[in-house]
Amino acid sequence: MIMKKLTLKDVAKQLGVSTATISNAFNRPDQLSASKRTEILDACKRIGYTGPNRAAQILRKGQSNIVALVLADSLDYMVTDPVANTFIQGVSRVLRENHKHLLLYAGDSESIIDVVDFVDGFICYGAPRNPDLSVQLKQQNKPVVTVDFNLEGSPAINIDNEQASYEIAKAALKPGDKVAILGLRLIESPNTCRIYDSPLLDAESSITHRRLDGYFQALKEVDIKVESDWIWNLPENAGMYAVQAAKEVLSCHPRPNVILCMSDIIALELLQCALSMGIDVPGELRITGFDGIEEAARTRPYMATVCQSSVEKGMQSARLLLSGENKSMSLPYEVRLGETI
Amino acid sequence: MIMKKLTLKDVAKQLGVSTATISNAFNRPDQLSASKRTEILDACKRIGYTGPNRAAQILRKGQSNIVALVLADSLDYMVTDPVANTFIQGVSRVLRENHKHLLLYAGDSESIIDVVDFVDGFICYGAPRNPDLSVQLKQQNKPVVTVDFNLEGSPAINIDNEQASYEIAKAALKPGDKVAILGLRLIESPNTCRIYDSPLLDAESSITHRRLDGYFQALKEVDIKVESDWIWNLPENAGMYAVQAAKEVLSCHPRPNVILCMSDIIALELLQCALSMGIDVPGELRITGFDGIEEAARTRPYMATVCQSSVEKGMQSARLLLSGENKSMSLPYEVRLGETI
DNA sequence: CTGTTAGCGCTTTCAG
DNA sequence: CTGAAAGCGCTAACAG
């Protein structure tokens, strides 16, 4: 039996009360007697009215209980990235507790106008690939929380990428090492390649440039130079690019004996590649990662890396958004020495 | 400069035309001259009107361009599961092409009434942990596509789990083997445990019971019996439970020399555990997985498993939903023998 | 504590 | 091709 969906008005008529009373029964318990309320709610359940239409509520109240999570790039890349999906996990946990829903939004979308009118706010994870989004986000007035980058006027959540990178590099390096760096989104390029003297992408605000700064600081202290033809750029944190870079760097003559990787995904592919070439790690080659994803603890030898809690980041950013406060915060990290250095 | 958001009415007044004309300029190009249209659109851009309010459009048109992806369990579990997130990747790719947005919905939510009024349809990935959702999904009239399970009246996408499991087990087994099974969601239990004679959960519709059927068929053909105290149940496809089960099964005396795992996550943790105990794989212990996640190809030895394309599944299910057709389909899989059997 | 009413911002017939 | 007007279904102020 298919029947037309009941409206609040229909129900009010059927029960012989006003529409306001029905509405109040669902939304504002304090506006009517408890007995009347349960009476109405029971009657609604009986006749099959599940409550006010959400689309109408969204328009009327200007609130949808939907939070948009703007990811740095297309969902295609982001959703399978263990760092990103652990972050999403954290966000979803807090949203759930607060009866909010999660809309995933790609950072390479054309604009946010598709959703800005109805979502309750934005969590922005990494600088969106399409820079227009940052501008639009600044111009609209729904609350925004940014993570791993900054947007004027909005609270941000970060870790100290520079200091963390400095520490892991410092732990890995010895005087006289031959060092290469496998970096991420350092220059504008759709391909895996060495950076040479390409113009740097977003050099002040991007976290990967902070990591680079940290590496350089450590390198300087042990008096090692890394030329720009020994710094690779990966366009995305994906296995495919990592394999390409790993093969390139491992086939250099002379070969580096330390490789600093800006993510665990990169480091893991490099490790896998090195082992299958019969290279001894860490004897002939030391490797460091970044992020502390789970798989990095499952390899043998297990990875030296910087562990940051993406779950915690996700939870904090969701809490921050829901609280409405404008307080940026820096989260802790932990350097894990592992067996690869 | 913060200003009140413009409405279509405001704009109509400012430009000295009727509201319908503005609306048509944005939504129905055929309803007015091309020149008038561009004139209006330009004017809108100039005065900062980005188009009709989406919340109002949703109410009025009954269409939001949002698709809800109902996952089997809480997002907490699902989003970091490589099988699930590869599926999400496929879905998102197709939605993107069609300018639809993705709302993630937990399968352990109380109900779908929070969103049913405004989403355009549901993709349901695995039987929702809360069985009420299945009922509600059946009762409402937005389009639904199910994946890895069936819902009366809605098209479904599956692979032949029983046949696939039969094949991988058949490849792994030799007469006289001592076999254990690490299963998934076979019984109702929040813990890792042996199933003994607990009542089976959802035995007709669940894919993991189909996998069990496939294993048993293969076992029967080589005349091997597996008692219910050598069948483990994991409540979720998560590393934590897998480690528990791996330790339990590997500390049995006598120890099984073949372990059939219902997912790669389980198989990988088992492998890792076995290797760290000094057990030779596949010499002393053969292992099979299921799913064909990427990490299963990166281990040494690399995993024998059933590869199914979750991306493809995701893409097909999104296409199916958007097409509105009611055609169920079965997708192919591939048995990869690997080095663990 | 209950009922009436004016919109939220838009789309879409229907006359002109 | 354009404009006037009736809602989509609901909420919240206000009067009773």
Side-chain angles (χ1 to χ4, degrees):
Chain A
M1 78 195 163
I2 293 169
M3 43 183 164
K4 197 174 163 301
K5 198 146 187 197
L6 289 169
T7 71
L8 188 148
K9 222 175 183 175
D10 299 335
V11 174
K13 197 178 295 175
Q14 267 195 50
L15 302 191
V17 295
S18 89
T19 59
T21 307
I22 308 288
S23 174
N24 285 333
F26 281 96
N27 302 313
R28 302 168 46 172
D30 53 310
Q31 298 294 302
L32 73 180
S33 68
S35 64
K36 187 96 192 170
R37 177 158 186 263
T38 49
E39 182 188 316
I40 288 178
L41 260 26
D42 288 352
C44 286
K45 187 166 281 176
R46 196 155 14 81
I47 63 180
Y49 180 70
T50 52
N53 180 298
R54 305 294 162 166
Q57 278 189 318
I58 295 173
L59 175 58
R60 183 60 232 241
K61 294 195 182 179
Q63 210 221 45
S64 62
N65 291 328
I66 301 174
V67 170
L69 175 51
V70 181
L71 298 166
D73 209 314
S74 77
L75 303 191
D76 220 319
Y77 284 120
M78 298 303 290
V79 118
T80 53
D81 177 343
V83 189
N85 66 38
T86 315
F87 177 82
I88 298 175
Q89 182 182 41
V91 170
S92 72
R93 212 179 272 178
V94 171
L95 291 187
R96 174 83 146 93
E97 285 165 11
N98 292 276
H99 304 283
K100 303 287 181 193
H101 299 291
L102 176 61
L103 182 83
L104 256 31
Y105 210 81
D108 64 343
S109 305
E110 293 208 344
S111 85
I112 57 166
I113 61 174
D114 271 15
V115 301
V116 70
D117 288 329
F118 64 83
V119 301
D120 292 350
F122 297 88
I123 295 173
C124 206
Y125 181 65
R129 166 170 291 264
N130 176 1
D132 293 350
L133 296 196
S134 298
V135 177
Q136 293 166 13
L137 246 14
K138 226 182 304 185
Q139 283 172 351
Q140 57 83 49
N141 48 23
K142 300 275 172 91
V144 177
V145 168
T146 64
V147 180
D148 285 350
F149 86 113
N150 297 297
L151 196 66
E152 192 195 317
S154 302
I157 290 185
N158 283 288
I159 70 162
D160 188 338
N161 280 280
E162 182 166 353
Q163 176 65 21
S165 301
Y166 166 79
E167 290 177 24
I168 187 92
K170 199 67 198 286
L173 295 170
K174 296 177 192 148
D177 281 334
K178 297 190 298 290
V179 179
I181 295 174
L182 301 189
L184 208 49
R185 292 188 216 97
L186 294 172
I187 61 171
E188 178 66 59
S189 160
N191 304 311
T192 303
C193 61
R194 307 181 193 213
I195 70 170
Y196 297 115
D197 51 0
S198 310
L200 298 181
L201 183 68
D202 220 6
E204 320 79 44
S205 68
S206 118
I207 55 167
T208 52
H209 279 98
R210 290 297 72 68
R211 293 183 191 169
L212 199 55
D213 292 343
Y215 291 159
F216 278 138
Q217 178 63 30
L219 286 161
K220 196 172 145 193
E221 291 185 11
V222 284
D223 203 29
I224 298 174
K225 277 221 161 54
V226 176
E227 302 298 335
S228 66
D229 61 345
W230 266 29
I231 302 178
W232 272 258
N233 179 65
L234 279 65
E236 288 298 333
N237 188 29
M240 183 180 70
Y241 302 115
V243 170
Q244 296 165 352
K247 285 187 180 152
E248 283 188 37
V249 70
L250 291 179
S251 56
C252 286
H253 281 280
R255 203 172 59 205
N257 71 323
V258 178
I259 304 180
L260 306 172
C261 303
M262 287 199 187
S263 81
D264 285 346
I265 296 282
I266 303 174
L268 289 173
E269 292 289 1
L270 177 66
L271 173 63
Q272 157 88 352
C273 201
L275 293 179
S276 70
M277 287 169 73
I279 299 172
D280 176 45
V281 177
E284 296 174 88
L285 174 65
R286 274 166 269 144
I287 300 176
T288 67
F290 203 106
D291 290 332
I293 66 175
E294 282 188 19
E295 190 181 346
R298 274 201 292 266
T299 56
R300 355 197 58 207
Y302 79 97
M303 189 60 63
T305 190
V306 173
C307 300
Q308 55 174 325
S309 173
S310 290
V311 172
E312 193 58 30
K313 249 186 186 170
M315 292 179 61
Q316 294 291 7
S317 58
R319 285 201 196 102
L320 189 54
L321 185 78
L322 297 179
S323 78
E325 289 177 281
N326 192 340
K327 287 194 181 159
S328 296
M329 55 201 291
S330 186
L331 261 30
Y333 60 86
E334 193 184 322
V335 172
R336 188 179 67 206
L337 298 182
E339 302 167 335
T340 58
I341 61 176
Chain B
M1 79 194 161
I2 291 171
M3 44 184 164
K4 196 172 163 301
K5 199 149 185 193
L6 289 169
T7 71
L8 187 147
K9 222 175 186 172
D10 300 335
V11 175
K13 197 177 293 174
Q14 268 195 50
L15 302 191
V17 295
S18 89
T19 58
T21 306
I22 308 286
S23 174
N24 286 332
F26 281 97
N27 303 312
R28 303 169 46 172
D30 53 309
Q31 299 292 302
L32 74 177
S33 67
S35 64
K36 187 98 194 170
R37 176 158 186 262
T38 48
E39 182 189 316
I40 288 178
L41 260 27
D42 288 353
C44 287
K45 187 166 283 175
R46 194 156 15 82
I47 64 180
Y49 179 69
T50 52
N53 180 297
R54 306 293 165 169
Q57 278 189 319
I58 294 173
L59 175 59
R60 184 58 232 242
K61 293 194 179 178
Q63 212 221 44
S64 61
N65 291 327
I66 302 174
V67 170
L69 174 50
V70 181
L71 297 167
D73 210 314
S74 77
L75 302 191
D76 219 320
Y77 283 120
M78 298 303 290
V79 117
T80 54
D81 177 342
V83 188
N85 67 38
T86 315
F87 177 83
I88 299 175
Q89 182 182 39
V91 170
S92 72
R93 212 178 272 179
V94 171
L95 291 187
R96 174 83 144 93
E97 285 167 10
N98 292 275
H99 304 284
K100 303 286 180 191
H101 299 291
L102 177 60
L103 182 83
L104 257 30
Y105 210 82
D108 64 344
S109 304
E110 292 208 345
S111 86
I112 56 166
I113 60 174
D114 269 15
V115 301
V116 69
D117 288 329
F118 64 83
V119 301
D120 292 350
F122 296 89
I123 295 174
C124 204
Y125 182 64
R129 165 170 292 266
N130 176 1
D132 294 351
L133 295 197
S134 297
V135 177
Q136 294 167 12
L137 245 14
K138 226 183 304 187
Q139 283 172 350
Q140 57 83 47
N141 48 24
K142 300 275 171 92
V144 177
V145 167
T146 64
V147 180
D148 286 351
F149 87 113
N150 297 298
L151 196 66
E152 194 194 317
S154 301
I157 290 184
N158 283 288
I159 70 162
D160 189 339
N161 280 281
E162 182 167 351
Q163 177 65 22
S165 301
Y166 166 77
E167 290 177 26
I168 187 89
K170 200 66 198 288
L173 295 171
K174 296 180 191 148
D177 280 336
K178 297 191 300 287
V179 179
I181 295 173
L182 300 190
L184 209 49
R185 292 187 214 99
L186 295 171
I187 60 172
E188 178 67 59
S189 160
N191 304 311
T192 303
C193 61
R194 310 182 191 212
I195 70 171
Y196 296 115
D197 51 0
S198 311
L200 299 181
L201 183 68
D202 220 6
E204 318 80 42
S205 70
S206 117
I207 56 168
T208 51
H209 279 98
R210 292 294 74 67
R211 293 182 190 170
L212 198 56
D213 292 342
Y215 291 158
F216 278 137
Q217 179 63 30
L219 286 163
K220 196 171 143 195
E221 291 184 13
V222 285
D223 204 28
I224 298 174
K225 278 222 160 53
V226 176
E227 302 298 334
S228 66
D229 61 345
W230 266 28
I231 302 177
W232 271 259
N233 179 66
L234 279 66
E236 287 298 332
N237 188 29
M240 182 180 73
Y241 302 115
V243 171
Q244 296 165 350
K247 286 188 179 152
E248 283 189 35
V249 70
L250 291 178
S251 57
C252 286
H253 281 280
R255 201 171 62 205
N257 71 324
V258 178
I259 303 180
L260 306 172
C261 303
M262 286 199 187
S263 81
D264 285 346
I265 296 283
I266 304 174
L268 290 173
E269 292 289 2
L270 177 65
L271 173 64
Q272 157 87 352
C273 201
L275 293 178
S276 70
M277 288 169 71
I279 298 172
D280 177 45
V281 178
E284 296 173 89
L285 174 66
R286 275 166 269 145
I287 300 177
T288 69
F290 203 106
D291 291 330
I293 66 174
E294 282 187 20
E295 188 181 347
R298 273 201 293 266
T299 58
R300 349 199 64 207
Y302 79 96
M303 191 59 64
T305 191
V306 173
C307 299
Q308 55 175 327
S309 173
S310 291
V311 173
E312 193 58 30
K313 250 187 188 169
M315 292 180 62
Q316 293 292 6
S317 58
R319 286 203 196 102
L320 190 54
L321 184 79
L322 298 179
S323 77
E325 290 177 280
N326 192 340
K327 286 193 179 156
S328 295
M329 54 201 292
S330 186
L331 260 30
Y333 60 86
E334 192 184 323
V335 173
R336 187 178 67 206
L337 299 182
E339 303 167 335
T340 58
I341 61 176

